[in-house]
Amino acid sequence: MTSRGRVRTSSNSLDPNEDPVSGLERVMSNSNLEQMARQRRRHEEELLFSRQIEESDRTDSHEALSARYESLNYEVSENRLYRDAEKKPSHQLTLWRISRNRWFVCFLIGVFTGLVAAFIDIMVHYSKDIKFNWILKYLISKCGEEQRGTTAGCMWTVMIAWIGYNCVLVTIAAILVIYVAPIAGGSGIPQIKCYLNGIAIPEVVRLKTLVSKAIGVACSVGGGLCAGKEGPMIHSGAAVGAGVSQGKSYSLGIDFGVFREFRNDRERRDFVSAGAAAGVAAAFGAPIGGVLFSLEEGASFWNQNLTWRMFFSAMISSFTVNWILSWFNGRSGWLSWTGLANFGIFENKDYNIWEIPLFLLIGVIGGCLGALFNYLNTRLTEFRKKYVSSKFGRLFECLLVAAVSGFLAFLTIFAIDDCQPIGANPTATSTQINQMWCKKGEYSAVASLFFQNPEESVKSLFHSPINSFGVMTLVIFGIEYFLLTLWTFGISVPSGVFIPAILTGAAWGRLFGILVERLFPSVTGIDPGKYALAGAAAQLGGVVRMTISLTAIIMEATKDITFGLPIMLVLMVTKWVGDMFNEGLYDSHIDLAEVPILGWNPPKMSRNILADRVMRKDVVALERRERVSRIVEILRSTLHHGFPVVDRIEESPYESLPDYGRLKGYILRSQLFKLLENRIFEEEGTSSNALPNDFYECQDDDDQMKSLNDLGLTQYDESCWLDIEPYMHPHPHRVPLNTSLPFIFRLFRGLGLRYLFVVNDDNHVSSSVLVQFIFQIFQLRGVITRKDVARFRERRRNHEYHVDELYISES
Amino acid sequence: MLRHFLIPSFLILSSFSTPELDSAPFTDDPWDLDGPCQKYVEKFAYYQAEMVACATNWSIPPKVCTNCYQNYINFKTYEFETKNLNNVFSLDNRTCSQVIYDNYLLSYSSDISTALTSKIWEKSRCDSCVTITWSLHDNKSAPTFTDRTIQFQQRLYEWRNCVVNYTSGDVLDPKMVPNDPFLTPEDLKNSSKICNECKSEFDELYKFYWKIYTTPDVDFCVDVETTMNDTIHLWDDVWQCAERQDRNRDLFGIMVTFATLMLLTALFYAASYIQGGGQQRNLVRYSRLSDPRGQRSRLLSSGISDADLVHRFVSSTVPPIHQMR
């Protein structure tokens, strides 16, 4: 700004010492002249801009931030109503009720998350039963009878049935995602991570998202995709957390009228993190892992009480799952049933110090494979984003993946001649035993890997004796699963990456174990199972780059701390190796979705970027007393979710931007909306209409954002005045112009800010013009939002860090 | 096989009142407070030993259920009796049940009982073959073989009879155990004949077995499984009657599907690539934003337009609004 360091005469305001009439004339003639000049300037600039836009917007960079994401609102608007609330006699009771209800809601979150998890599990179980035990078994046995004496093969009917079944279920999942709730696609962990980071992802925790996600994931897992239900479980848990705590549903349009005190983003964030923890707990039977997951992946904001409540939710949820599943499996009341993806208990837990280097080697392999996976999947997702964008195209892609997954499984069984005599693997259950093309009395070991749910395959790879799977089986199975997972992750069905990655890793880990056993035949006690476990941890760690929570989850899912050290070492090495190449899968997907997420640390090499470069200067501000017509026009033509309130806005004689007065406060769009809705106008000097009790915690709900026309404002209404002062937040966060980017970043990240106002720090003014001195300090100069901070990204090129500025894509 | 079922049980039944048991206790220690209980322990030891002997005798291959059920019943019956010795007291006035089962440090007898029950009987899944209707009080527990076990045995015998018909008479018994040294070259020569003639019986047997084996929650006990495994081994490997399923017959169908799917995939992505990607996005770099234009510029400026300004300063005197419109 050019006016920095210079005394500015405010030609558009009245001087208190001046005669009011002459002053008024001065101001009026001034503003008329200026207005004309300004109009000319505006016209010229528009011409210039229209030329510029033709040149600049041709750039085609995928690195951009989408302008459609807004921040969540964590700040209480401490207006007069908020302060007055404390004086009410019922306030003590309210405080008590809130802390009681927090626990009650956490209990409910645990129970409902458990119910959802059990529902998914039971659906998948039945789907498996129908697919393998009824349809395919029937066709196979029919084939067995028919084949006597005929020459035509009939196994292809099995194949067609298999592919057909997969396609039907996957179609259901895809339709739910594409046509009902697009946000339900994929794993959901990136979205929850963003939500907990403070970004309002539209519809991410809605009931319809939850329903689509739960049914969809049951269908995609049942439909034989390389997909896990763990990531979607976490998303479902978060949606349950958000839904239960609000006591109402937008999707259904029901309001139960309970938990009104939690209807704001600040409380909801806490319940969403509790829900995410409960989701992990239900998915893996790992309550501590769940809490750590929320800590590691999500919560930017943390406190001790919240942690304890989250743990409570997580425990209740895994308890609920245990209880329901034990009942479902005919052992009612047996609470030691373990989660949806229990990895089984290792009988042989021995390992020696000389095996540690082997585990480290597994970590290196996992890091490389994980980085490769992330690289390829990111490229594929970019391709999809750009080229496969039509609804039909996405549906067709899902069908294609389903068909190919089924076919490849069948092809593998056909191609690999790994027949094992019945009884070779005592842990194989009878449903896994399939003769296929083997001799009588033998079963196909490959078929036993494919004829079951992925989680059971994990268990077989972990716990089967050394001779149950041939080397070739493991190699082909591993490669196939790697590629299919690569292809599957990112199509429009709810699908997690946990179990597929674990399965891939378990396959090559087991192979590694078998090779070690062949290299050192003299050493007895090599159990390929524990190498399979290490491989699974390495592959998963290489893909998602989680550390502490993954260690805890795997230890809890195997119910053993014995392998704690190797798992930790593996994950540590994996993360180091993987981070040398690229970032974790979820982070890549967040970047591709153009979400303005704020990482743990500010970008390096940004200390000299100051607030005046970060902020936006074209602030739509309000004065303390505004005409309704202007407010309506602002609400109609902008999408901003909040507006600063200043004591005056003046046309600047020098620039096209106006000069703002002192920052007096800040008001939310939703609050303005409520004010308009309730007609709190200053007609007769009194505002007779009552405001809702929770006015100071207005939320940006989509239904509040319904069209302004629904308010039915008349022309008379529009000509009224609105006094904003009693309703605004009087002391918003602000920084001076010379604040550095890292400082701003930490403020945003630590406090979960939505807006940060930049004010003048210009105060070396001669004491003779005292009035102007007062005007100039704390003058509003700009506003910083999340996108302004997030657009600065650090990049590493040629071993040096740079700060890049991303584009903002406005749709 | 029935012979095996019956003979040992007959022996056991007759030994229920064995004379040597009546002369218990053999070890009479005058210093032992638990002296009066000794004879019960010894009697218990006898039944345990019988069961152990039977289990070990039938351990290669394990066939405890069909052969030792009577020993098991006896053992269980007497175990029940020892647990209910509430009328017999040791010298320090404890019941013998307490003496036997509440023991300090170790209790061999109860360890052995547990091992026999869980490690041998239950691990062999004997309940799938022999259903015992327990009646421990009056010593009238009755075993019955499950339906599927009897059917399996019938089919097994049919097949065996068939095999016997086409071999020299003594082939049956040695061949129960494969790789038996008694297996003569002539028998092997006969094998192709056996394969052809007894195929339908074998298929029947196998079909029945396979159906139950692959049905979840319905099991055979280990006895039947080992018998069948040995039978399959004999049929497949020793006589080499097994025929592999012919993969080539399905090759055509699989190739067609493979080609179709490959084609679809390639076409889909090629078509998407050619058609898509045309979306122009409006990318803005904030640091290069020019000053606002048009409506936004108007929004930024104060709501106090000239008319409003006038109104603002005269509003104290003139009634508002109406004349403004």
Side-chain angles (χ1 to χ4, degrees):
Chain A
M1 283 227 160
T2 52
S3 60
R4 230 214 277 190
R6 195 152 44 82
V7 181
R8 197 189 304 149
T9 46
S10 56
S11 56
N12 278 355
S13 60
L14 290 174
D15 194 323
N17 304 323
E18 203 175 9
D19 169 46
V21 179
S22 62
L24 194 60
E25 277 174 359
R26 181 178 60 80
V27 167
M28 281 178 72
S29 61
N30 244 348
S31 58
N32 278 341
L33 282 175
E34 277 165 17
Q35 203 170 16
M36 280 162 66
R38 213 172 43 243
Q39 271 174 358
R40 203 172 48 240
R41 212 162 44 218
R42 194 184 290 161
H43 189 67
E44 282 165 10
E45 274 165 6
E46 267 171 40
L47 273 176
L48 188 71
F49 182 79
S50 58
R51 274 200 300 275
Q52 273 178 354
I53 203 166
E54 283 171 8
E55 295 158 15
S56 70
D57 284 356
R58 289 290 149 80
T59 47
D60 184 39
S61 165
H62 68 272
E63 284 181 300
L65 296 178
S66 173
R68 71 192 177 104
Y69 295 110
E70 294 288 333
S71 295
L72 294 171
N73 191 38
Y74 292 154
E75 219 166 285
V76 184
S77 176
E78 296 194 356
N79 51 25
R80 206 179 61 201
L81 298 167
Y82 176 72
R83 292 180 187 168
D84 289 347
E86 210 172 70
K87 293 176 193 146
K88 286 182 193 157
S90 61
H91 189 67
Q92 295 289 342
L93 200 66
T94 312
L95 289 180
W96 183 81
R97 199 183 64 225
I98 287 176
S99 46
R100 180 202 61 190
N101 280 358
R102 280 203 187 112
W103 282 99
F104 185 56
V105 168
C106 281
F107 174 78
L108 289 182
I109 290 172
V111 170
F112 282 109
T113 309
L115 287 176
V116 172
F119 165 79
I120 294 174
D121 199 44
I122 289 172
M123 295 273 284
V124 170
H125 176 86
Y126 277 127
S127 161
K128 187 198 84 172
D129 243 20
I130 293 171
K131 180 164 142 191
F132 294 127
N133 295 348
W134 293 6
I135 302 180
L136 296 190
K137 275 256 154 78
Y138 169 74
L139 287 173
I140 289 173
S141 65
K142 196 158 153 265
C143 255
E145 285 168 22
E146 274 179 12
Q147 271 193 345
R148 283 181 213 147
T150 58
T151 49
C154 80
M155 279 295 186
W156 63 271
T157 54
V158 179
M159 178 178 70
I160 296 298
W162 191 338
I163 292 175
Y165 185 90
N166 283 5
C167 283
V168 168
L169 282 191
V170 170
T171 309
I172 297 174
I175 284 176
L176 280 174
V177 167
I178 296 171
Y179 295 99
V180 180
I183 198 74
S187 118
I189 294 178
Q191 285 88 337
I192 294 306
K193 203 173 163 175
C194 292
Y195 184 91
L196 293 177
N197 193 270
I199 301 160
I201 309 275
E203 301 198 327
V204 70
V205 286
R206 285 289 172 78
L207 181 66
K208 73 173 185 186
T209 311
L210 173 64
V211 171
S212 305
K213 195 107 199 176
I215 297 177
V217 76
C219 288
S220 59
V221 173
L225 292 182
C226 288
K229 58 196 168 199
E230 282 66 29
M233 227 9 266
I234 293 163
H235 187 174
S236 306
V240 166
V244 168
S245 64
Q246 302 301 292
K248 62 177 177 178
S249 159
Y250 298 113
S251 303
L252 294 179
I254 300 176
D255 187 344
F256 295 100
V258 288
F259 307 138
R260 283 179 190 281
E261 59 272 23
F262 299 138
R263 291 179 187 176
N264 56 65
D265 287 337
R266 195 180 53 260
E267 294 281 354
R268 192 149 65 158
R269 166 192 67 195
D270 292 353
F271 292 119
V272 166
S273 47
V280 181
F284 295 100
I288 299 173
V291 174
L292 290 175
F293 172 86
S294 274
L295 169 66
E296 186 177 0
E297 285 295 304
S300 320
F301 318 100
W302 201 252
N303 77 52
Q304 191 189 20
N305 288 332
L306 174 62
T307 316
W308 187 232
R309 275 202 302 274
M310 281 166 67
F311 187 61
F312 174 69
S313 280
M315 269 297 179
I316 293 291
S317 117
S318 57
F319 165 87
T320 310
V321 174
N322 280 343
W323 187 69
I324 297 174
L325 289 189
S326 63
W327 167 78
F328 180 72
N329 288 285
R331 305 211 194 182
S332 187
W334 191 48
L335 288 183
S336 40
W337 192 271
T338 37
L340 302 189
N342 172 30
F343 300 152
I345 293 159
F346 280 86
E347 303 269 327
N348 176 11
K349 301 173 193 160
D350 296 341
Y351 65 99
N352 273 310
I353 187 110
W354 61 264
E355 289 180 74
I356 295 290
L358 296 174
F359 287 124
L360 295 183
L361 187 59
I362 287 182
V364 174
I365 300 173
C368 295
L369 283 178
L372 179 69
F373 183 94
N374 290 359
Y375 174 78
L376 294 174
N377 189 267
T378 312
R379 293 288 89 79
L380 183 63
T381 311
E382 267 171 37
F383 177 86
R384 278 189 183 130
K385 196 175 133 192
K386 212 163 157 190
Y387 298 107
V388 191
S389 47
S390 71
K391 284 185 174 178
F392 178 76
R394 288 192 290 160
L395 179 63
F396 189 79
E397 190 183 21
C398 297
L399 283 179
L400 207 56
V401 175
V404 172
S405 302
F407 174 72
L408 270 186
F410 192 80
L411 184 69
T412 318
I413 298 172
F414 176 77
I416 301 180
D417 194 8
D418 187 1
C419 290
Q420 307 279 352
I422 295 172
N425 180 2
T427 56
T429 56
S430 55
T431 48
Q432 290 168 244
I433 302 294
N434 276 288
Q435 185 185 341
M436 303 305 285
W437 290 278
C438 289
K439 291 192 286 192
K440 286 203 169 110
E442 289 184 340
Y443 70 96
S444 164
V446 196
S448 73
L449 271 181
F450 281 108
F451 269 57
Q452 56 186 344
N453 287 331
E455 280 140 36
E456 289 158 1
S457 307
V458 172
K459 260 190 251 184
S460 334
L461 285 173
F462 281 175
H463 304 295
S464 302
I466 192 157
N467 55 355
S468 353
F469 300 102
V471 170
M472 220 38 215
T473 311
L474 292 174
V475 170
I476 291 185
F477 181 81
I479 293 176
E480 213 172 81
Y481 233 84
F482 184 87
L483 294 177
L484 279 179
T485 313
L486 197 62
W487 196 18
T488 308
F489 192 72
I491 62 172
S492 303
V493 294
S495 67
V497 78
F498 266 67
I499 288 294
I502 283 177
L503 205 45
T504 314
W508 64 254
R510 194 177 173 89
L511 186 68
F512 189 91
I514 292 175
L515 294 183
V516 169
E517 202 263 341
R518 291 204 183 154
L519 279 179
F520 308 104
S522 56
V523 183
T524 52
I526 297 271
D527 176 17
K530 68 193 171 197
Y531 287 97
L533 178 69
Q539 178 75 30
L540 184 54
V543 171
V544 300
R545 307 282 160 79
M546 302 194 310
T547 48
I548 165 93
S549 53
L550 208 50
T551 314
I553 286 171
I554 292 177
M555 283 195 318
E556 283 182 278
T558 53
K559 297 201 149 188
D560 201 341
I561 203 166
T562 317
F563 291 126
L565 177 77
I567 288 171
M568 191 206 72
L569 287 177
V570 161
L571 286 173
M572 200 161 73
V573 173
T574 304
K575 189 167 167 58
W576 283 339
V577 172
D579 281 349
M580 278 172 14
F581 298 105
N582 49 25
E583 54 186 345
L585 185 65
Y586 298 141
D587 296 317
S588 307
H589 275 252
I590 289 172
D591 284 350
L592 282 175
E594 306 182 341
V595 182
I597 196 169
L598 298 178
W600 289 103
N601 293 307
K604 297 184 178 74
M605 303 297 291
S606 64
R607 287 177 201 169
N608 290 307
I609 299 174
L610 300 185
D612 64 341
R613 235 183 101 190
V614 179
M615 70 184 187
R616 280 192 71 162
K617 292 167 189 163
D618 52 333
V619 188
V620 180
L622 299 172
E623 293 190 343
R624 280 172 293 184
R625 201 166 158 276
E626 278 286 358
R627 198 182 278 288
V628 172
S629 60
R630 179 166 188 252
I631 293 176
V632 168
E633 193 184 356
I634 287 176
L635 290 185
R636 208 167 258 159
S637 52
T638 66
L639 290 170
H640 303 306
H641 283 227
F643 304 95
V645 181
V646 293
D647 59 355
R648 69 201 163 77
I649 305 172
E650 285 182 354
E651 309 296 352
S652 162
Y654 313 107
E655 301 173 46
S656 61
L657 292 173
D659 282 342
Y660 303 103
R662 281 188 293 168
L663 177 67
K664 301 305 280 186
Y666 158 65
I667 191 153
L668 290 170
R669 181 192 190 89
S670 48
Q671 288 173 325
L672 284 176
F673 210 90
K674 272 267 158 64
L675 290 173
L676 293 183
E677 195 177 13
N678 293 299
R679 308 275 196 282
I680 315 286
F681 304 144
E682 227 183 21
E683 298 167 84
E684 286 85 39
T686 53
S687 53
S688 51
N689 298 329
L691 275 173
N693 281 335
D694 55 350
F695 178 74
Y696 48 88
E697 294 195 306
C698 266
Q699 275 186 281
D700 306 337
D701 295 329
D702 290 352
D703 63 7
Q704 283 181 349
M705 295 298 160
K706 66 196 167 201
S707 110
L708 276 162
N709 301 330
D710 292 354
L711 295 184
L713 290 171
T714 59
Q715 280 207 338
Y716 173 78
D717 285 333
E718 293 208 7
S719 62
C720 292
W721 290 88
L722 178 57
D723 186 10
I724 299 172
E725 194 154 20
Y727 310 110
M728 69 187 184
H729 180 35
H731 46 82
H733 292 276
R734 64 196 94 178
V735 291
L737 271 170
N738 59 355
T739 318
S740 72
L741 179 60
F743 186 87
I744 296 170
F745 187 99
R746 275 189 280 269
L747 271 181
F748 257 88
R749 170 85 196 189
L751 299 175
L753 294 185
R754 187 169 188 186
Y755 288 93
L756 186 61
F757 294 105
V758 182
V759 293
N760 242 341
D761 59 341
D762 187 10
N763 54 3
H764 56 89
V765 176
S766 66
S767 55
S768 60
V769 249
L770 189 65
V771 181
Q772 281 146 16
F773 169 72
I774 294 170
F775 273 141
Q776 289 216 323
I777 51 171
F778 304 134
Q779 239 183 336
L780 177 71
R781 296 298 294 276
V783 61
I784 297 174
T785 61
R786 172 178 284 272
K787 282 182 279 274
D788 297 310
V789 181
R791 71 195 157 109
F792 293 99
R793 282 285 160 85
E794 72 180 42
R795 292 274 178 269
R796 226 176 125 202
R797 270 182 248 113
N798 307 328
H799 306 288
E800 280 182 13
Y801 286 103
H802 299 275
V803 173
D804 277 359
E805 193 200 325
L806 303 185
Y807 285 96
I808 310 288
S809 82
E810 286 171 350
S811 46
Chain B
M1 209 164 186
L2 254 162
R3 215 175 38 185
H4 295 309
F5 292 162
L6 290 178
I7 290 176
S9 45
F10 173 74
L11 278 175
I12 299 300
L13 278 175
S14 62
S15 72
F16 217 66
S17 54
T18 1
E20 55 256 54
L21 274 184
D22 297 335
S23 65
F26 310 113
T27 50
D28 199 5
D29 183 359
W31 286 90
D32 188 2
L33 273 177
D34 302 330
C37 302
Q38 181 62 27
K39 66 175 182 185
Y40 298 98
V41 176
E42 282 173 9
K43 206 170 165 188
F44 192 29
Y46 174 79
Y47 292 119
Q48 282 181 340
E50 288 280 309
M51 179 66 197
V52 169
C54 183
T56 310
N57 284 339
W58 293 99
S59 63
I60 45 167
K63 288 182 187 178
V64 163
C65 307
T66 45
N67 294 302
C68 309
Y69 59 92
Q70 193 57 55
N71 303 55
Y72 186 69
I73 290 172
N74 293 342
F75 150 69
K76 274 301 198 191
T77 311
Y78 202 76
E79 188 192 23
F80 177 78
E81 207 177 317
T82 53
K83 282 186 175 167
N84 290 287
L85 284 175
N86 298 324
N87 307 324
V88 191
F89 296 94
S90 66
L91 296 180
D92 59 350
N93 231 5
R94 296 160 70 214
T95 65
C96 277
S97 294
Q98 282 174 323
V99 170
I100 296 172
Y101 288 100
D102 299 356
N103 221 327
Y104 50 82
L105 295 179
L106 281 173
S107 175
Y108 308 130
S109 65
S110 101
D111 284 350
I112 292 168
S113 301
T114 316
L116 285 176
T117 311
S118 64
K119 287 274 155 98
I120 293 181
W121 191 258
E122 284 172 10
K123 255 199 162 170
S124 309
R125 299 194 294 273
C126 288
D127 289 343
S128 315
C129 291
V130 190
T131 319
I132 299 171
T133 327
W134 291 107
S135 175
L136 293 164
H137 290 283
D138 47 7
N139 194 13
K140 278 182 186 163
S141 305
T144 35
F145 286 95
T146 56
D147 210 27
R148 54 179 180 271
T149 315
I150 292 169
Q151 283 190 38
F152 173 79
Q153 186 172 285
Q154 281 170 2
R155 287 180 167 81
L156 183 71
Y157 284 173
E158 275 169 28
W159 173 74
R160 282 186 183 172
N161 288 336
C162 172
V163 172
V164 171
N165 284 344
Y166 294 100
T167 44
S168 43
D170 58 341
V171 77
L172 179 64
D173 274 337
K175 275 185 194 155
M176 278 303 293
V177 187
N179 302 330
D180 194 283
F182 294 113
L183 210 62
T184 56
E186 295 109 70
D187 294 332
L188 285 178
K189 247 182 256 166
N190 277 339
S191 65
S192 64
K193 198 166 140 203
I194 297 173
C195 290
N196 288 330
E197 298 295 334
C198 303
K199 188 170 180 302
S200 62
E201 280 85 358
F202 182 79
D203 284 346
E204 275 301 304
L205 171 69
Y206 186 80
K207 199 176 133 195
F208 176 77
Y209 176 77
W210 185 255
K211 196 176 151 210
I212 294 199
Y213 186 73
T214 54
T215 313
D217 306 326
V218 185
D219 274 331
F220 279 124
C221 56
V222 168
D223 302 39
V224 176
E225 280 185 16
T226 51
T227 310
M228 189 63 199
N229 282 352
D230 291 347
T231 310
I232 290 170
H233 183 56
L234 185 67
W235 184 259
D236 282 2
D237 304 331
V238 181
W239 291 337
Q240 287 165 354
C241 296
E243 61 207 27
R244 294 195 77 108
Q245 306 267 7
D246 188 6
R247 279 166 197 248
N248 293 330
R249 287 189 297 193
D250 295 299
L251 194 61
F252 178 71
I254 287 178
M255 291 306 280
V256 169
T257 319
F258 183 73
T260 316
L261 284 175
M262 284 294 287
L263 196 70
L264 272 178
T265 311
L267 275 181
F268 172 72
Y269 282 108
S272 310
Y273 184 75
I274 292 163
Q275 285 206 331
Q279 284 171 328
Q280 270 284 309
R281 295 197 306 163
N282 185 17
L283 292 177
V284 185
R285 186 161 271 189
Y286 274 9
S287 60
R288 292 190 200 146
L289 271 183
S290 47
D291 284 339
R293 307 157 308 279
Q295 194 193 19
R296 180 159 181 102
S297 171
R298 206 154 46 75
L299 284 179
L300 292 184
S301 56
S302 162
I304 311 168
S305 64
D306 301 337
D308 284 349
L309 194 72
V310 174
H311 158 70
R312 191 173 178 181
F313 284 99
V314 284
S315 61
S316 49
T317 54
V318 183
I321 318 303
H322 307 289
Q323 39 183 230
M324 306 300 299
R325 292 286 157 188

